[in-house]
Amino acid sequence: MSAAPALVDTPPVTQDLNGPVLRLTLANPPANALSIATMEALMAALGAARDNADVRVIVIAAAGKVFSAGHDLKEMTLHRADEDRGRAFFEKTMRLCADLMQTIVTLPKPVIAEVDGLATAAGCQLVASCDLAICTDTSSFATPGVNIGLFCSTPMVALTRNVHRKQAMEMLLTGETIDASSAKEYGLVNRIVPKEYLNQVVNKYAEVIASKSPLTLKTGKEAFYHQAEMSLSDAYDYCANVMVENMLFRDAEEGIGAFLQKRKPEWKGE
């Protein structure tokens, strides 16, 4: 009698590098909760992508019908039995989540959220933290913490930096779910596509972006988030200096030369 095959644990995040595009898939359905293990796996994958010159663009997707339901409430509730009623574990969870979202923003490579399904609480925060977000027409979004006595304060940070204030407060105060059309109107997602075209459209976006100078993308993404927190005059001073330095890049010299000569540029990343 043959032995039963050993069970193989599926990692909470799977990776697939296709040319210059790295796809990270939340692989813990049905909820794809942002447990400690999932957030640590995402952090590790993003850190490796930062240092991998072959990776130009990162896509964050999910398996199943839910993009992410946010933090793993069962995991957190288990620690209420700790001597400190879970304080240390809650602090670890929230700190790790904050670090993850900031890692996405500060990563020198564009990150695209590919959303098919429900994204709630920290899952909605993850979508808002990505540079671009493309969703299916059946996707939905919510920050429902207020419904269970836990205001979505950390998701609020990403939400209020992407969504109009009145709409952000409406989502946070009511906890109600919004559809894809409202998410686009609010500024949470860039584009809505039918489910059958989601992967194709996201890949097209990724390929177009990946064809640009990686150094220019790094410079532009960093400048975008820095200037957004500045006053108008400070933002112009800062960005004028960024453009001067950018003009001195070899890639800018090559790109402008290629444009004038009507040929395809050859990026060197310098």
Side-chain angles (χ1 to χ4, degrees):
M1 182 175 179
S2 59
L7 295 176
V8 178
D9 290 335
T10 302
V13 177
T14 62
Q15 302 186 43
D16 178 36
L17 181 60
N18 185 10
V21 180
L22 175 64
R23 177 178 293 272
L24 304 178
T25 302
L26 303 179
N28 188 28
N32 288 316
L34 295 181
S35 62
I36 292 291
T38 298
M39 291 190 289
E40 288 179 341
L42 271 175
M43 286 282 285
L46 291 169
R50 178 193 296 272
D51 301 325
N52 187 345
D54 292 334
V55 176
R56 299 285 189 87
V57 178
I58 298 98
V59 173
I60 298 180
K65 297 180 180 180
V66 175
F67 177 78
S68 175
H71 291 303
D72 189 333
L73 296 181
K74 291 182 179 178
E75 179 180 65
M76 296 177 73
T77 298
L78 286 174
H79 286 270
R80 288 198 181 278
D82 296 350
E83 188 175 341
D84 63 354
R85 297 186 58 238
R87 175 180 289 275
F89 186 79
F90 302 158
E91 288 178 348
K92 177 181 179 179
T93 298
M94 298 308 166
R95 183 68 264 165
L96 181 57
C97 183
D99 289 346
L100 170 61
M101 303 305 166
Q102 290 177 86
T103 293
I104 292 171
V105 173
T106 59
L107 198 75
K109 302 173 183 183
V111 182
I112 304 173
E114 179 183 294
V115 185
D116 179 23
L118 179 65
T120 68
C124 186
Q125 179 184 5
L126 180 59
V127 175
S129 297
C130 292
D131 303 305
L132 299 177
I134 301 169
C135 73
T136 59
D137 48 12
T138 55
S139 294
S140 54
F141 307 83
T143 49
V146 67
N147 296 333
I148 58 171
L150 182 66
F151 201 84
C152 283
S153 298
T154 47
M156 176 173 64
V157 176
L159 197 67
T160 55
R161 282 161 171 74
N162 289 270
V163 170
H164 307 306
R165 284 194 173 189
K166 296 295 186 188
Q167 280 78 21
M169 279 297 284
E170 181 178 346
M171 291 179 67
L172 292 161
L173 292 174
T174 67
E176 293 180 352
T177 301
I178 63 170
D179 60 16
S181 179
S182 295
K184 186 174 186 297
E185 179 185 345
Y186 289 6
L188 183 58
V189 301
N190 297 85
R191 187 170 173 182
I192 305 168
V193 298
K195 181 182 179 72
E196 60 268 28
Y197 296 120
L198 178 62
N199 189 254
Q200 178 182 337
V201 171
V202 170
N203 286 344
K204 182 62 177 178
Y205 268 81
E207 289 166 5
V208 167
I209 294 169
S211 71
K212 316 303 181 186
S213 158
L215 181 58
T216 300
L217 292 176
K218 173 182 180 294
T219 301
K221 177 174 175 176
E222 181 180 350
F224 177 88
Y225 289 109
H226 274 298
Q227 65 82 28
E229 304 300 320
M230 297 178 177
S231 68
L232 184 65
S233 60
D234 287 346
Y236 270 115
D237 286 343
Y238 167 71
C239 286
N241 289 331
V242 169
M243 286 208 72
V244 169
E245 295 303 319
N246 196 165
M247 277 294 292
L248 294 173
F249 290 172
R250 295 294 185 187
D251 274 2
E253 183 178 358
E254 164 65 13
I256 293 170
F259 174 77
L260 295 174
Q261 297 165 23
K262 296 181 171 56
R263 61 176 175 81
K264 186 177 180 179
E266 297 180 9
W267 307 124
K268 303 296 184 183
E270 56 187 37

